[in-house]
Amino acid sequence: MRKNTMFRRLFAVLLLLSALLLLPGCDMLAGNEEDADDADTLYLYNWGDYIDDAVIEQFEEETGIHVIKDEYDTNESMYPRVAEGAESYDVICPSDYMIDKMRQNGLLQPLDFEAMPNARAYIGQAYYKQSQAFDPDNAYSVPYCWGTVGILYNAKMVDEPVDSWTILWNPKYRGSILMQDSARDAMMVALRVLGYSMNTTDEGELKEARDLLIAEKPLVQAYGIDDIRDKLASGEAALGVIFSGEAIGLMEANPDLRFVPAPKEGTNVWIDSWVIPKNARHKENAEKFIDFLCRPDIAAKNFEFLGYSMPNTALEELVADDMDDGARAIAFPDESIFEGQETYRYLGEAMDKLYTRLWLQVKVE
């Protein structure tokens, strides 16, 4: 009898809880209620040191929206956190091919460009056109930073014209060549030398590129990422594959350095863009933030902090007077640099694994 009474009471409590969960405004019991203060919040997920903190502070002051920032170091480390829904971020800045992957896997939501007039007024159409490689209808992303993968060389150590990737196979520079430790970037160089697309899915072409990189290996001083910058700045190497945004600072540190943004065989034009995840809880705040970043004065602050090229059409007029000719040519190249160039696309999990496997074969050969 006592057990029956306790059971009935427990059952009544469970029924009451179930009813409460179904009532409007009672999401708190399910752990989903948005705190009143949280409505004026923005959860930002971005690369480390990829936005000026002073810009975030200004956004908070102007809008009253509090920004909570989390950081990642690679697209690949960012993706699973978003895909698994472990965190609910409102705005993220992935790279081109990762935006393609997130879009194809239903992890993004369309943007309301009516709520972002600066994104239409100041982001150049050439950059939206280039973005169609990974966002075909320009529905999910707003370009933030862009650049190319090129060759940085020391004019005191290289005494011939540099206009081709093939110089990285010249035995004259044995032990003085630096390559990116990245499957897509390293394979891109070899694929372009061979005349193939950097987005090829042909296994035969990819194996040819692998073999070409293996043939280059005895000439390579190191495969790296951050250490490439240090070695080129200090004169420890003659040539290196590097991103255009890094070249400006390195040329300031070492006046002997010169940069070739697009070797004649072609290169990767990369674009990092702002997107809003499907599970974002503060979409309006995210669109305010993206639109704020597209404002020319804000883009100028970010450019001074980052040094990376930005697609803002009003930016050059604001910052060019403080730059020398070499830096200006890198930061604001003619739009013709896009002609014939490719942007990395997401090729599927199987291709990702193949590229990685072939690149590992290069490194262990």
Side-chain angles (χ1 to χ4, degrees):
M1 180 72 178
R2 190 172 187 180
K3 289 182 179 179
N4 253 354
T5 302
M6 291 178 65
F7 177 80
R8 284 197 297 271
R9 287 176 179 171
L10 178 60
F11 185 71
V13 170
L14 291 173
L15 283 176
L16 178 61
L17 287 172
S18 298
L20 285 171
L21 287 171
L22 294 173
L23 289 174
C26 288
D27 287 344
M28 180 176 64
L29 292 173
N32 293 323
E33 183 183 44
E34 187 175 300
D35 187 274
D37 293 335
D38 193 55
D40 293 325
T41 302
L42 176 77
Y43 291 92
L44 167 66
Y45 199 22
N46 194 15
W47 302 85
D49 296 321
Y50 209 36
I51 189 170
D52 189 348
D53 285 338
V55 164
I56 293 178
E57 291 171 6
Q58 184 174 341
F59 174 75
E60 291 178 324
E61 290 171 2
E62 290 189 18
T63 65
I65 296 170
H66 176 53
V67 177
I68 298 174
K69 182 175 66 171
D70 203 356
E71 296 180 346
Y72 55 89
D73 56 358
T74 67
N75 286 292
E76 286 68 28
S77 64
M78 172 275 295
Y79 180 83
R81 293 192 69 178
V82 177
E84 293 164 8
E87 303 286 348
S88 179
Y89 294 109
D90 299 311
V91 62
I92 310 177
C93 188
S95 301
D96 33 51
Y97 71 95
M98 187 56 67
I99 293 172
D100 197 9
K101 180 176 181 177
M102 296 172 79
R103 178 185 63 83
Q104 290 187 40
N105 290 334
L107 298 179
L108 303 178
Q109 57 179 297
L111 304 177
D112 179 7
F113 282 91
E114 293 297 321
M116 301 184 296
N118 291 327
R120 284 302 191 204
Y122 296 111
I123 303 301
Q125 286 304 306
Y127 304 97
Y128 281 117
K129 183 177 180 181
Q130 192 74 16
S131 297
Q132 289 173 358
F134 54 88
D135 183 6
D137 298 318
N138 294 127
Y140 296 95
S141 63
V142 173
Y144 176 54
C145 290
W146 76 279
T148 65
V149 181
I151 301 173
L152 190 70
Y153 69 96
N154 191 312
K156 286 189 173 180
M157 303 169 73
V158 178
D159 56 4
E160 60 195 277
V162 180
D163 64 355
S164 169
W165 291 118
T166 57
I167 197 170
L168 301 173
W169 277 261
N170 190 332
K172 180 178 179 180
Y173 301 108
R174 179 184 294 270
S176 200
I177 294 170
L178 302 172
M179 293 288 288
Q180 287 287 322
D181 188 3
S182 160
R184 288 301 293 267
D185 292 322
M187 294 289 282
M188 179 275 291
V189 173
L191 287 166
R192 295 313 298 160
V193 168
L194 293 166
Y196 300 141
S197 167
M198 65 185 69
N199 292 304
T200 184
T201 57
D202 185 296
E203 188 169 351
E205 293 178 352
L206 289 168
K207 286 182 176 178
E208 283 186 60
R210 173 204 59 193
D211 293 344
L212 190 60
L213 290 170
I214 290 173
E216 179 205 30
K217 190 173 179 180
L219 310 179
V220 175
Q221 180 189 122
Y223 300 104
I225 300 176
D226 292 341
D227 52 333
I228 289 182
R229 297 194 295 266
D230 298 334
K231 288 176 179 291
L232 287 167
S234 64
E236 294 178 53
L239 301 135
V241 177
I242 204 161
F243 299 99
S244 56
E246 298 170 328
I248 295 174
L250 290 171
M251 290 167 64
E252 290 176 352
N254 185 341
D256 296 326
L257 295 175
R258 306 286 184 271
F259 184 63
V260 181
K264 64 184 181 181
E265 296 88 358
T267 190
N268 171 42
V269 173
W270 58 266
I271 300 177
D272 291 344
S273 301
W274 295 107
V275 299
I276 299 179
K278 192 78 170 178
N279 66 345
R281 291 187 297 156
H282 310 99
K283 184 174 187 283
E284 290 185 6
N285 293 352
E287 288 169 341
K288 287 179 182 178
F289 182 73
I290 295 171
D291 197 55
F292 177 79
L293 295 178
C294 294
R295 223 168 70 187
D297 61 314
I298 301 303
K301 284 187 178 182
N302 260 333
F303 175 80
E304 295 290 349
F305 175 76
L306 292 172
Y308 282 95
S309 296
M310 293 185 165
N312 195 296
T313 57
L315 181 60
E316 184 175 3
E317 185 176 346
L318 295 177
V319 302
D321 288 345
D322 298 325
M323 305 173 70
D324 62 31
D325 292 342
R328 190 183 302 114
I330 296 172
F332 305 104
D334 189 274
E335 288 184 1
S336 63
I337 195 172
F338 290 131
E339 295 175 7
Q341 310 294 2
E342 293 181 275
T343 297
Y344 289 141
R345 298 198 308 270
Y346 171 58
L347 304 175
E349 295 295 335
M351 279 295 118
D352 278 354
K353 290 178 181 177
L354 178 59
Y355 271 78
T356 300
R357 177 164 57 84
L358 295 175
W359 173 236
L360 289 175
Q361 288 173 8
V362 173
K363 294 180 68 177
V364 301
E365 180 67 25

